[in-house]
Amino acid sequence: MNDTTPAPQVWPTLRARDARALIAFLVEAFGFEETAVYGEGDHVDHAQLSWPHGGGIMLGSVRDTPDDKWSLTPGSFGAYAVTDDPDALFAWATAAGARVVQEPYDTDYGSREFVVRDREDNLWSFGTYRGEPRRAALETSSHSAAGGSE
């Protein structure tokens, strides 16, 4: 059996007033890949946009119903995504209409980053910072280096 399902990950989610237009913008401006979109007409029940470096986001149309169990206000989302070339992505994103919050800059922790807003006013930060090693990986590494065995 050839299973191509991604490994478990965290998938941030958001709602949009015009989900189909936001999907097109996120693909064009940031390079997300449209993996799945379910819904009829202008309404999007569920969409998955994959980030080329791993993970992605899920989104759907805002639902103005009292029984909505996943009530999120459009424009209240913020995310950070890793990219190897933030300067090129900044140029690409702003050319596609992303609104600049902070132009590319270098952080004191060694990352190159920028911040923009999408067409629904959500905040997006992109940079080279990949995070710190997980504790379990550090413990396994130091355990192995010390000659420990299970």
Side-chain angles (χ1 to χ4, degrees):
M1 181 173 145
N2 183 9
D3 185 5
T4 58
T5 304
Q9 304 170 47
V10 175
W11 287 81
T13 62
L14 61 125
R15 292 280 177 90
R17 289 175 192 86
D18 187 345
R20 294 201 186 267
L22 182 59
I23 291 166
F25 176 83
L26 296 174
V27 168
E28 179 185 348
F30 302 148
F32 278 94
E33 298 165 356
E34 185 179 311
T35 305
V37 179
Y38 302 100
E40 298 290 326
D42 291 338
H43 183 82
V44 173
D45 294 314
H46 168 80
Q48 175 185 330
L49 302 182
S50 299
W51 185 238
H53 303 287
I57 62 169
M58 295 184 192
L59 67 101
S61 298
V62 68
R63 295 167 178 92
D64 293 320
T65 60
D67 62 338
D68 184 7
K69 303 294 187 256
W70 195 258
S71 177
L72 297 170
T73 304
S76 63
F77 175 80
Y80 175 83
V82 175
T83 182
D84 291 330
D85 193 349
D87 292 290
L89 182 55
F90 177 78
W92 185 18
T94 54
R99 295 186 318 275
V100 177
V101 174
Q102 188 164 16
E103 293 193 10
Y105 64 99
D106 295 317
T107 69
D108 58 357
Y109 48 89
S111 184
R112 178 95 173 136
E113 302 179 354
F114 70 90
V115 182
V116 293
R117 287 191 180 274
D118 66 27
R119 61 182 297 125
E120 295 256 349
D121 215 28
N122 297 297
L123 279 168
W124 293 89
S125 178
F126 294 89
T128 58
Y129 180 71
R130 294 178 178 267
E132 298 301 320
R134 294 177 180 242
R135 290 177 195 237
L138 290 174
E139 290 169 5
T140 301
S141 176
S142 63
H143 184 70
S144 297
S149 63
E150 301 295 312

